[in-house]
Each structure stands twice: as C-alpha cells, then as structure tokens.
Amino acid sequence: MSQLITPHGKEERLIPLLLQGAELEAEKKRAASLKSIRITTREASDLIMMGIGAFTPLTGFMGSQDWKGVCDKYLMADGTFWPIPITLSTDDESVKEGDELALEDEETGTIIATMTVSEKYTIDKAHECKAVFRTDDTEHPGVQKVMEQAKYNLGGPVKVLSESYYPEMFKDVYMRPAESRKVFEEKGWRRVAALQLRNPMHRSHEFLAKIAVEVMDGVFIHQLVGKLKAGDIPADVRVKAIDVLVENYFVKDTVVTGGYPMEMRYAGPREALLHATFRQNYGCSHMIIGRDHAGVGDYYGPFDAQKIFLEIPEGALKCQNLNIDWTFHCFKCGGMASMRTCPHGKADRLLLSGTMVRKTLSEGGELPGEFSRPEVLEVLKKYYMDLEEKIEVKLHGAATGDLGKK
Ligand SMILES: [Zn+2]
C-alpha cells in the first residue's frame, strides 16, 4: 500500500487518458477519418497533461457548467475542486454537438487527441479573466490568451493519442505522475514538497528547496518545459542549470527533478492552486509557495498565492501549501535568510532584478556568488553569449547582403 498522498478526485487513483497499444493504434486510424480542428499550443499541452494523468480526474475539456463552477466557486459540476477552466475553443461553425473530432496541434500538425463534442457553448471571456486573473487587462499575457480564444467552447471527453515532442525533446526530465510516484515510493518518501520552477534556479530557490528538505522526506524540483513568454530562458538551458546545482549542492536522495509540459498562464494565486492540484497527482503532499508565485507584472500582491489557500472550500484540496517568505542573501546575517528570519534592512541584503541579471550575463560580467552558484552562472553565461553572437551574425549577415547589391 502506497504511503503517498492519493491522486486528486473522488476515485483517488490516476486517470491517464493516453491510450496504449492496440487501442492506441485503432484510435489513430479512426482519427485519420474524422473531421479535424486545429488547437493552440495551450490546448495541446493541457491535453498532454490529461494524457499522462497530471490533470486527474478530468476526462476531457470542460462544459459550461464546469466552466462556470470553476470560475465562480473553484468547483466542477460534480463538486470536484478545480481552480482554472480547462477549455477548448473553435471558430468552426460547422462543428455540432455529437461530432467526433480529431484535435490537431497548430504548432506541429500532430493529432494529439480525439474528442466527442458533448457541448458547444459561448462564454463571457471577461468574466473568466476577472475570476481567474483578477483583471481583464489585455496587457496581462494570460488574459490576452483567453481574450484571443475562438468564439465557441467545445466540451466533451477526449482520448489522448500523443505526448507530442516532450518525451523525446526533454527525455532526461520529462516525467509522468505514475513515474514520479514510483520514484518517491522507492525512496520510502511520504511527505514530499514540490518546488515549481520556470526560471533558472538561483540561491533563493535553492534556499526554498533546502528549507523543504529539512522538514519533508524529500523535494520534487519540478520545472515547466511547456511554453513561456518570449524572452524567457529555454527549458534545455534551465534543465542544465538545475542539474549542475543539484549535483554540486544537494545531498544525494533528498531531491528528485522532473519536468511537466503545461503552458504558463501567469494567473498568480489561481495558478498556485492549479500547481498544487496537479502536484498532488505527481505524489506531492505539499507545494512550496514563495513570493509572487506564478505572477507577472504587478497584478498580484506578493503573498496572494499563499492567502488563496485559505479562501478555497475546506477540504477541497489535499495537497497543502508550504508557505515560505521572501528569501535573499543578507550580508549582516552572513547567509541566506527570509523576511521572517532577517531583522536587517534593504541596504544589508543582496537584491538583483531579473533585467540586471540578464544584462550582466549577456555582457559576460560576473554576478556575486551570494546570488547564484558559479556552476549555474557558467551555464547561463554561455547561453547568453551564444544568443548575442547569433543576433550579431544576423545583423552582420543582413548588412553584407545589402553591400552585395551595390
Ligand atoms: Zn539579515
């Protein structure tokens, strides 16, 4: 009997929607004969999350009752807790209820799933945005995506046929919930905290993880390998940077690293809840929630993502939040500290902005060891230098072309 937290939902078991073996082959054949519609990268990645059981107990895209319940009360029509609508949209007027569809990823052309349309409906997009993002400002990248959704939402059960390029492209970190659960079980872990990562891991993140190592059986460093905003550091570079950190600065068998294919929504507090929900499926009893979790810009208060765990219906979610305050290096304390443990002021602390870090690294400059480990900085510096070089080659190439015409 597993000691791990049970998966989310009434059935308390993983429900992966990815077909296997002969069933998969048969459904692929059938999919080729179906009407197909193009889906966005967000929809494709949500399907893969359903495919691997990370979105247990969802069985497909949400209908209008689920959509409304999730927006207004964090609850699906059957009373199951869920924090963010998982929906599919289309402008195709010809699609009708009862149709069988093949869902084709617009990015790769891969048929990711088949779907039975049980409901075709329209939504008040601004309502969803205000509920989920707490704003309908289209400067917010998550709001922008919802507002750009097509006219109709399609709800209904899906059969997932593909995990797209994730298992191959991210083969060292890509992990399905059944796999992480197996690893945790083999280690005899029961209390496991997940650390959400979408940026390179600096000393502050390392400190968060190590606080959790002290009080848990283990930590799952779980990073997003799905789509981010333009300008963010690509997943393969982040993976490398985490690997060198774990190798050099963590005790063996206290951390497991993994990647998941979801796309960021930047929904701050609501997204923190989603992170905890699918981490429960991965076998994590706790979710580390630090400062401005999954936020963007100034849309959320720094600790809104911690407070929201008190606002959801009691007992709705088994995975608990492990709140940790703002962390940094303090020169007076002589080490890593947080707002709860350091009595000193701003002037004594090392605080660097993301912009400053990027600028320094791309110019080959040095960042203090109090901010990041040298092995991590090496990986990042190399990435930024290569990037600068590529841009220069591009500019140079264009100029040469112009000269050639004269
Ligand atoms: Zn201090």
Side-chain angles (χ1 to χ4, degrees):
M1 187 70 190
S2 170
Q3 295 190 65
L4 294 172
I5 193 167
T6 53
H8 183 53
K10 294 186 177 87
E11 291 191 35
E12 302 196 326
R13 65 180 179 94
L14 287 177
I15 307 173
L17 304 181
L18 183 67
L19 299 181
Q20 307 283 346
E23 217 185 340
L24 173 63
E25 290 316 310
E27 189 65 10
K28 274 186 175 168
K29 256 188 216 144
R30 195 179 78 93
S33 70
L34 297 176
K35 174 185 173 66
S36 85
I37 63 164
R38 310 263 279 175
I39 59 171
T40 65
T41 54
R42 190 196 78 196
E43 291 159 347
S45 67
D46 284 348
L47 277 170
I48 299 167
M49 291 292 276
M50 292 189 236
I52 60 180
F55 274 176
T56 295
L58 301 191
T59 54
F61 287 109
M62 290 180 181
S64 58
Q65 288 308 308
D66 286 337
W67 174 83
K68 190 169 183 339
V70 167
C71 285
D72 299 345
K73 300 180 295 192
Y74 306 99
L75 297 174
M76 299 200 291
D78 72 352
T80 303
F81 171 81
W82 200 271
I84 293 183
I86 305 298
T87 58
L88 171 70
S89 73
T90 183
D91 280 324
D92 193 327
E93 298 283 343
S94 74
V95 175
K96 46 188 199 314
E97 288 173 9
D99 279 0
E100 300 277 329
L101 300 175
L103 307 180
E104 181 190 335
D105 184 355
E106 67 176 2
E107 183 189 28
T108 59
T110 312
I111 303 288
I112 304 285
T114 59
M115 173 183 190
T116 306
V117 180
S118 52
E119 194 184 352
K120 182 180 184 183
Y121 62 104
T122 56
I123 56 162
D124 178 348
K125 291 179 187 170
H127 179 77
E128 175 173 332
C129 290
K130 280 184 219 151
V132 172
F133 301 102
R134 301 185 174 183
T135 174
D136 57 1
D137 178 2
T138 50
E139 293 293 306
H140 185 298
V143 170
Q144 196 179 2
K145 284 212 167 153
V146 171
M147 297 312 282
E148 280 170 0
Q149 277 173 204
K151 190 168 168 192
Y152 303 105
N153 272 12
L154 302 178
V158 299
K159 290 175 179 165
V160 180
L161 308 181
S162 167
E163 292 165 276
S164 191
Y165 49 75
Y166 290 101
E168 182 56 34
M169 192 180 286
F170 302 105
K171 58 175 170 292
D172 296 335
V173 287
Y174 184 73
M175 218 183 236
R176 303 168 187 92
E179 293 165 338
S180 59
R181 284 176 168 272
K182 188 158 173 276
V183 174
F184 301 160
E185 266 163 29
E186 281 166 0
K187 293 185 184 298
W189 290 359
R190 188 174 62 87
R191 286 158 55 83
V192 186
L195 176 68
Q196 155 71 24
L197 273 189
R198 66 174 204 254
N199 286 313
M201 203 169 162
H202 298 300
R203 294 290 299 270
S204 285
H205 307 105
E206 180 188 333
F207 189 53
L208 292 181
K210 284 183 170 169
I211 292 170
V213 167
E214 291 283 3
V215 295
M216 296 281 147
D217 298 327
V219 168
F220 188 34
I221 298 179
H222 203 203
Q223 65 168 313
L224 179 141
V225 292
K227 289 265 170 327
L228 291 157
K229 297 195 276 30
D232 284 340
I233 294 177
D236 56 327
V237 180
R238 283 182 283 124
V239 170
K240 224 182 282 167
I242 289 170
D243 285 349
V244 294
L245 183 70
V246 169
E247 212 170 282
N248 289 291
Y249 296 94
F250 280 84
V251 175
K252 200 172 172 292
D253 282 336
T254 59
V255 295
V256 169
T257 58
Y260 67 98
M262 200 181 83
E263 211 163 282
M264 274 303 287
R265 283 151 165 95
Y266 303 96
R270 284 262 190 165
E271 189 146 359
L273 293 174
L274 183 63
H275 284 165
T277 306
F278 74 78
R279 261 45 174 263
Q280 184 178 328
N281 290 329
Y282 272 93
C284 301
S285 58
H286 291 76
M287 177 77 220
I288 298 171
I289 308 290
R291 180 176 172 272
D292 197 25
H293 187 100
V296 65
D298 295 324
Y299 292 99
Y300 309 107
F303 298 103
D304 285 357
Q306 298 182 348
K307 289 180 199 142
I308 200 170
F309 282 82
L310 300 170
E311 294 162 14
I312 58 174
E314 210 182 318
L317 181 63
K318 280 191 195 160
C319 180
Q320 301 287 300
N321 47 317
L322 179 63
N323 294 344
I324 303 182
D325 212 312
W326 189 5
T327 59
F328 43 77
H329 182 93
C330 171
F331 292 101
K332 262 205 180 139
C333 288
M336 295 303 295
S338 82
M339 295 293 271
R340 279 176 68 79
T341 60
C342 163
H344 308 115
K346 247 186 182 166
D348 302 309
R349 297 171 185 155
L350 179 71
L351 303 170
L352 297 176
S353 76
T355 319
M356 204 161 127
V357 170
R358 266 194 300 276
K359 189 171 182 303
T360 309
L361 290 174
S362 60
E363 288 165 1
E366 297 298 325
L367 284 171
E370 289 86 355
F371 174 77
S372 197
R373 300 292 188 184
E375 294 86 348
V376 174
L377 293 177
E378 267 321 300
V379 173
L380 298 179
K381 224 188 268 180
K382 184 172 179 322
Y383 163 69
Y384 279 114
M385 302 285 272
D386 289 352
L387 197 67
E388 293 291 301
E389 226 164 72
K390 269 182 210 152
I391 293 167
E392 251 168 51
V393 167
K394 241 188 193 166
L395 292 174
H396 186 69
T400 314
D402 286 341
L403 282 175
K405 273 182 204 156
K406 281 183 188 165

